[in-house]
Amino acid sequence: YFHIEQMAIKVFGCLLKCSTEFEMFKLIHKPMSVLHRHLDITKKNSTSAIIDEKYHYELVQDISTDERYFHTEFSEHPLPLSDAIVLINIATFIKEHKWYEMLNHLEISSKGEHFILYQYTDNNIYPTIISSALIQTTSNKHDWLFFDNFFQNTKWKPNLNADGLLSLSHATSMSPLARSQFVDKSSTEIENDLFYSILDKTKACEAIRLTISGEKSKANYHLYLAQKGLAMALKESGRDIVFTIIEKPAMVLFYQSMNL
């Protein structure tokens, strides 16, 4: 292990970068017999919805059981949906943003309900994934990152807009919300109060690990399509309220521009 660590530092600069590249290598270079056992299958989901003419979006209940193959910009050949999403998560969150904490939690991205946005191109029989996001139900709220201490800060100033609270309570099955009940409370207390105000917990979920890939020149356009498709897919599935963690400033501005 000492020699492996020395070699990792020499070649990659640090052990974490080496681990990241190794995880990507394992996904891309699986034994051919495993990787291509379903390569003659060109399944299409007839229940997917189309957005902007050529982009498809859908919610997959459990990506680990989905047998379809998808292209990504990080591999020359198509991968099973589960592997494709894990690869995209590693390449975007860990390699690009250096969120090495995710190396210990890659299995979260390999199973469960996910939103996917994808596109068929003329040259490929397999679609290319443009965006994905993990959807978690309230039954496993204890695993939600939204309520994790890592994503809390005592210096945050909550935006307790009265119109926003009124709109939120009207649009969802929640107990009536008033600005006065959140005054002088921490962001953690406010978020928990909001969650427990939801009368029907099946109408709530967490959406995290939203990835955007594809041509860099279309990044903002794909981000817009992903957010629009995600909102529509969740609404169509009966979700009225979504808890999420936003890292991209462009996304924050997008939701602020929507106002109510």
Side-chain angles (χ1 to χ4, degrees), residues 145-147 151 206-209 243-247 251:
L145 291 184
F146 186 91
F147 293 102
F151 293 98
E206 178 189 49
I208 56 172
R209 297 191 174 188
F243 291 80
T244 189
I245 299 166
I246 293 177
E247 179 266 339
M251 290 177 65

Side-chain angles (χ1 to χ4, degrees), residues 59-202:
L59 289 179
V60 181
Q61 291 303 309
D62 187 355
I63 59 172
S64 66
T65 62
D66 196 296
E67 295 184 332
R68 290 174 295 170
Y69 276 63
F70 290 81
H71 280 289
T72 72
E73 64 173 303
F74 308 106
S75 172
E76 292 182 358
H77 48 255
L79 298 173
L81 177 59
S82 178
D83 287 351
I85 289 179
V86 174
L87 178 61
I88 293 171
N89 275 214
I90 296 173
T92 55
F93 290 126
I94 301 177
K95 185 174 181 177
E96 183 179 344
H97 294 292
K98 297 179 174 56
W99 294 353
Y100 296 117
E101 298 88 348
M102 287 180 64
L103 283 170
N104 293 324
H105 305 284
L106 292 178
E107 76 285 349
I108 296 177
S109 295
S110 66
K111 59 187 177 181
E113 185 177 6
H114 277 71
F115 161 81
I116 56 173
L117 175 74
Y118 53 95
Q119 177 186 14
Y120 286 94
T121 58
D122 296 334
N123 301 325
N124 294 309
I125 59 174
Y126 299 101
T128 299
I129 289 189
I130 302 298
S131 174
S132 70
L134 170 64
I135 311 300
Q136 302 210 87
T137 64
T138 53
S139 61
N140 59 348
K141 175 181 173 287
H142 56 281
D143 291 329
W144 283 18
L145 291 184
F146 186 91
F147 293 102
D148 192 280
N149 288 333
F150 184 83
F151 293 98
Q152 300 294 335
N153 194 313
T154 55
K155 295 182 180 181
W156 284 347
K157 294 181 180 180
N159 182 6
L160 297 173
N161 182 284
D163 290 336
L165 291 172
L166 182 63
S167 175
L168 185 63
S169 58
H170 282 175
T172 62
S173 53
M174 299 182 75
S175 302
L177 302 173
R179 189 178 185 280
S180 58
Q181 72 189 87
F182 299 115
V183 175
D184 296 328
K185 287 187 176 182
S186 66
S187 61
T188 303
E189 292 172 323
I190 291 172
E191 289 164 358
N192 277 289
D193 284 354
L194 284 172
F195 180 83
Y196 289 110
S197 295
I198 302 170
L199 302 176
D200 185 354
K201 299 293 192 292
T202 63

